[in-house]
Structures are given as structure tokens and as C-alpha cells.
Amino acid sequence: MTTSAIVQTQKLSKTYSGLNPVNKVDLRVQEGEIYGFLGPNGAGKTTTLKMLLGLIKPSEGTVKIFGESLNKHRLSILQRTGSLIESPSYYGHLTGLENMKIMQRLRNVPDKNVDEALRIVRLENQKNKKADQYSLGMKQRLGIAMALLAFPKLLILDEPTNGLDPAGIGEIRELIKSLPARYGITVLLSSHLLSEVDQLATSVGIISEGSLLFQGSMTSLREKGSTTIYLKTGDNPKAEQLLLTQGYSPAQSESRLGFNNLGDANVAEMNKLLVENNIPVTRIEEQKKSLEDIFLELTGKERSL
Amino acid sequence: MIKTLGLEYFKIRRKKIWIMIMLFLGVEMLWAFISINRSIASNPDQAIWESVIHTIASMNGLFIPILSAIIVSRICDMEHKGSTWKMLVTTNVGRGQIYSAKYICANSLLLYSILAQTLLMVVFGLIKGFPGAPPFELLIQFIGGTLLTTLAVTALQQWISLAIKNQAFALCLGMLGGFIGMTIGLFPAAVRHIFIWSYYMDLSPVTFLYDEHSSSYITQTVGSGLVVAALIMTVIFYVAGRIHITLKEI
Ligand SMILES: Nc1ncnc2c1ncn2[C@@H]1O[C@H](COP(=O)(O)OP(=O)(O)O)[C@@H](O)[C@H]1O
Ligand SMILES: [Mg+2]
């Protein structure tokens, strides 16, 4: 975590009438990564992202983007940042292309950016339709195209696949995946879908009820899902006693004995020990905690996702 | 600034604002000219430039607040509808700049309306053969007074239109203003100067004087006190609205 952080917040908090939708959040988004900001509905994702863009003021804490304080360099930071927050923004009485032209003039970018952004989100054939007549998915694509228009260094997308059909979701995910390598864009995206973050992100921050519960690489999150070896024997209490004398303490001992993080050699040795002591071993099973289990464990939420 | 202003004009295409302005002006001018025609028929002394300036100024008290409310609401509502305000303020264009652009855009449309009005008044006077050349000095004062009042009214409307999503509030305020502007003659001077909508009449270079046996139009020099009061209201409404809207959380 020593490389340059594109986004860095410190004790970022927001208070609304006594409640803390965002509570002391320390985000670190490194250059070139796709950071998945994951949390159930109402966890505080949108509120956090709005504070990063200066749409709302933090009640406490600081935001640094590109190493600069948001308070002091807001406009220069915004110039290098594209965003799509909550529902997509569009002028319904104008066509998709006219909407893009507005963004183009605000962003001061050449015509070819408009064409390219429209092509990337596959709206080039619908660009002369009024945005009011777009489906929700098309509006979402337009929103992404507008966010992407200047090919910013940092792209902040709040639930970017909301309202898209499965094919559209796949397409947009592929698009997002390609951004860091193709355009050097760092992506910060929020989602309430674990599977989405799992597929897309290189780093992840898990937020629940305003607090950041985990932050790190996707790999380190998966590692939390350690494997457990389950043993079933003819006489579990006796087996447990015997194994304890050899320094194996089971993490779980009901109908079967569970051991965390055992190497193959250990498993073989335990088996040998039991058999030599005339305790029949009826099952040896390996179980890996799924990402979902880890997530549910962290957030303490039942399947509200 | 030119860029953001240009964008405002770009954004109001297909909003049919021009048609609305023409319709509104058309009704107002038709109504005014018919009523002047009638009073000339009953009293030929009324066939003078002053009568048309006075009539239009007093009718503006009714029409322009409503027209201003409509125009400003059209310009502001589109940001609420597609929630584009949050998109605008996450580009590197200052919020204050967007606010100013909208203000200038709305007022420029209203200025066109006032100029069109003046032109129609001149044409009407020439057709009716009012004595003397068109009184340019009075007309310029009429334009100045109407524009100044409009600047304040628009500032207030823009504040409300951007602060409150539901445009019914802004339109109601416009109608209330029009109602006050129309009935302002019934209020005592001390009270009427509080209401910006009364200034359409009060900043007019022509006033109507009743005395015991006759009534007549007299030209008046508008007191600088009233001009300053209108200016102060403009600044207060504009600055308060701009600060409120730029600091508002989204
Ligand atoms: N303007 C506001 N006033 C009061 N509470 C708010 C406001 N905005 C958001 N909240 C609350 O903050 C919490 C987090 O909301 P949000 O950031 O939108 O969650 P998410 O985007 O993760 O679904 C919610 O409980 C919501 O009700
Ligand atoms: Mg949200």
C-alpha cells in the first residue's frame, strides 16, 4: 500500500440527523486498479462517492484525489474525473448525441471522443433518438458514455450495471474491465452484487452500515476463505482427545471434527494416528468457504443482497 | 462564461420557449391595443404616445412576472427532470458560473420580449397617427424600468425554481406576483414599494393622474430612490439564490 493512491480518504464521515450513513471510512484506491466498493443497499456507498466528488460535504474527515486535497483543488480534480452517480443524468428533450455534445463542450474535448464513447457503449445507432425514448439500459449506457467522454484518469461509477439486461451487464463489465489497460483509467465502482465485484475488481472495499469492514486485494479477500478439513470417526470424543495430545486442536467438534489450515502431511499423519489407535476414520472432507460466506460473515447480513 | 451561456441556449432547443413568449406577448399586446382603441373612441384626447406606454407598463405588471416564471422554470426544470445538476457540477465548471449563465439566458429572452413590445408600441402609434414622432426618451426609460424590474423578478424566480424541485411553487409565485403587479394601484405607496412586481408601474416614465374633474397622463421622472431599491432587490435575490444553490447538497 505504498504506491501512489489515486483516492485516499481519512476518517471520512457523514452525519444526517444523528445517524452515520458513512462512518470513519479510509478508502485507498491505487492507480490502475478496478476497485470494487461493495455493500448491501443503504450501506453508504452512494453517500461516500458523492463526498469524493464534492456533491456533498463530509461531516468529518478528508478526501485526497490524485494526492491533492479535494477542498482546495476541486475543479482541477474534477477535470480529470468522470462519474456516474446513482441514476444516469440526461436531458430528455435532447437526443443522445446532443446530450453528448453538451458534455463535450463542458469538458472541452474533440469530436472524436464523442464518437468513440458512443461506439464503446454501443449507442451510435441510437444517438439521434431523444433520450426520453431510451430504455433504462440505454440511459445507463448514455450515462457511462458521458462519464467516459474525456477519458479521465479516474472513473467513478455508482452501480453501473443497474437497470441493464443480462447481455448488457456482460457487455458493460467487459468494457469496464478493459479500461485500465486500454486507456490508463483507474476505476472505482460500487455494487451491491458480490458476483459483479468478484468478476471485475482487482481490489475491494466492503462497506456495511457506514463502516468499511475490509479493504485489500481481491486475492487477499479470497485467502480469508481458508479451507477446513472435516474428520468423521467411529468415536469422535476419543479421537479429539487423542489428537489434542498431539497438538491438533479442532475448531469444531460436533458430529465431525473440523480443522483449519491443515497441510496434506498433517492430514495423513492424523489419519495414521487414528487408525493405529483403532479409531475407524469414516470420512475425510475438505471444505472451502465461498466468497459469499466471507462476505456474509463480514457484514453479518443474511441474504439481503 | 460564453461557453456556459451558449450551452444554455443549446439546451432550450425543442423546449418551445419562443412559441410561448410569442403567444404571451401576442395576447398582452392585443388586449392592450384593443383597450386603448376603445378609450380613444370614447375620448380622442387619449390618442397620444403616453397612453400606450402607460397601458403596456401596467399590463406588464401582470404579464411579465408570469412570463418570467414560465421561462425560468423551463430553463431550470430540465436540470431537475433528468437530474443533470449533479452531472454539471461534477465537471470542472463552477456552479456559480452555471447559475449566472441561466440567469443571463432567461433575462436575455425577456429583454427580447421587451424590445419586441416596444417595437409593436411604435408601430401601433404610427398606425393610429399619434401626434409627434415616437418619444424615444420615454421609450428608453420604459425599456430600462421594465428590464430592471424583470432582473429582480427573474432572480427571485430562478432561486425558487432551482431550490424547489416542484415547479408548481415557482409558477404560483409568478402568478401571485402577476396578481400583485396588476392590483398594485390599490395599495398605499409605502406598502407597494416592498413588492418588486409593483415596479413595472412605478418605474414607468408615464403615470396616470386623476383629479376632481379630469384625468390625464403625465410624464414623470422616476425617483432614483426607486431605481436603487429595485437594484438592491435584484442583488439580494440574485446573491442569496446563488449562494443557496451553490452550497446546496445534492
Ligand atoms: N440526504 C439524506 N438525508 C438523510 N439520510 C440520508 C440522506 N442520503 C442518504 N441517507 C441515508 O444514508 C444511508 C446510506 O445511503 P446510500 O449511501 O444511498 O446507500 P447505498 O448507496 O450504499 O445503497 C441510507 O440509510 C440513507 O437512508
Ligand atoms: Mg446507492
Side-chain angles (χ1 to χ4, degrees), chain B residues 114-178:
Chain B
I114 298 168
L115 293 178
Q117 250 184 357
T118 313
L119 193 70
L120 288 173
M121 283 155 64
V122 171
V123 170
F124 178 78
L126 292 176
I127 291 174
K128 298 301 280 183
F130 287 168
F136 284 110
E137 206 169 308
L138 291 182
L139 289 172
I140 299 275
Q141 277 185 50
F142 163 80
I143 293 170
T146 312
L147 181 63
L148 179 56
T149 313
T150 301
L151 286 176
V153 169
T154 309
L156 184 60
Q157 288 293 341
Q158 188 175 338
W159 182 7
I160 303 299
S161 269
L162 282 178
I164 306 174
K165 252 189 195 155
N166 187 343
Q167 294 303 303
F169 283 90
L171 294 175
C172 275
L173 178 72
M175 282 191 257
L176 181 73

Side-chain angles (χ1 to χ4, degrees), chain A residues 223-286:
Chain A
E223 274 164 10
K224 277 189 155 262
S226 52
T227 52
T228 308
I229 300 289
Y230 288 102
L231 283 183
K232 201 169 174 194
T233 66
D235 187 348
N236 279 350
K238 199 171 156 202
E240 186 177 353
Q241 259 180 355
L242 175 70
L243 290 172
L244 267 172
T245 63
Q246 300 300 312
Y248 297 111
S249 64
Q252 204 183 320
S253 51
E254 281 129 42
S255 63
R256 35 185 211 169
L257 304 173
F259 300 87
N260 288 333
N261 301 316
L262 282 184
D264 287 350
N266 295 120
V267 178
E269 196 194 348
M270 277 166 59
N271 187 34
K272 188 170 161 236
L273 205 66
L274 291 169
V275 172
E276 279 172 2
N277 286 279
N278 291 323
I279 303 170
V281 177
T282 55
R283 293 272 193 291
I284 300 180
E285 287 172 284
E286 185 187 50

Side-chain angles (χ1 to χ4, degrees), chain A residues 54 57 85 89 91 93 98, chain B residues 11 13-14 79 83 86:
Chain A
K57 287 220 156 26
I85 296 295
S89 304
Y91 295 101
H93 64 290
E98 283 166 344
Chain B
K11 286 192 283 192
R13 35 166 76 187
R14 288 202 279 278
E79 312 292 353
S83 51
K86 72 178 177 209

